[in-house]
């Protein structure tokens, strides 16, 4: 197993645990879980999964590229947002 595969397994395991935590925190019912899975299937069937993945990509960017903007109250930096297709300067 390569180092990147091993890291992927670790990250995915943490992601799965985070989803478990959200399910427990919000007391998600079986019906709600099935509705979510159905919605994700509709997104995939419509070919929109790449567009939906931008939400996760943005979160990763905020944690990496946006890290220098993480504490504007301390360092005076501006709030960071990824510029996307709907970005309007100013």
């Amino acid at each position: 197993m390569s180092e990147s595969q091993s890291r992927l397994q670790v990250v995915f395991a943490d992601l799965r645990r985070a989803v478990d935590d959200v399910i427990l925190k919000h007391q998600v019912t079986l019906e709600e879980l099935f509705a979510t899975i159905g919605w994700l299937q509709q997104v995939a069937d419509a070919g929109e999964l790449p567009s939906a993945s931008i939400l996760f990509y943005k979160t990763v960017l905020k944690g990496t590229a946006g890290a220098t903007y993480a504490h504007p109250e301390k360092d005076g930096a501006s709030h960071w947002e990824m510029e996307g297709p709907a970005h309007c300067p100013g």
Side-chain angles (χ1 to χ4, degrees):
M1 179 181 326
S2 73
E3 184 178 334
S4 64
Q5 286 175 320
S6 176
R7 178 164 166 73
L8 178 61
Q9 287 176 326
V10 169
V11 170
F12 187 79
D14 281 351
L15 178 61
R16 191 190 56 76
R17 281 190 290 278
V19 169
D20 290 347
D21 290 345
V22 169
I23 289 170
L24 291 172
K25 175 182 176 183
H26 295 284
Q27 299 179 350
V28 175
T29 66
L30 194 54
E31 292 80 19
E32 291 169 330
L33 182 60
F34 286 150
T36 301
I37 292 168
W39 177 80
L40 285 171
Q41 187 62 55
Q42 287 176 338
V43 169
D45 291 346
E48 294 295 327
L49 207 50
S51 298
S53 68
I54 290 171
L55 299 173
F56 296 103
Y57 178 69
K58 180 180 175 182
T59 302
V60 170
L61 279 180
K62 277 187 145 181
T64 55
T68 55
Y69 303 94
H71 302 286
E73 68 282 356
K74 291 181 185 175
D75 57 24
S78 300
H79 177 73
W80 185 83
E81 283 293 333
M82 181 178 89
E83 292 182 9
H87 174 73
C88 294

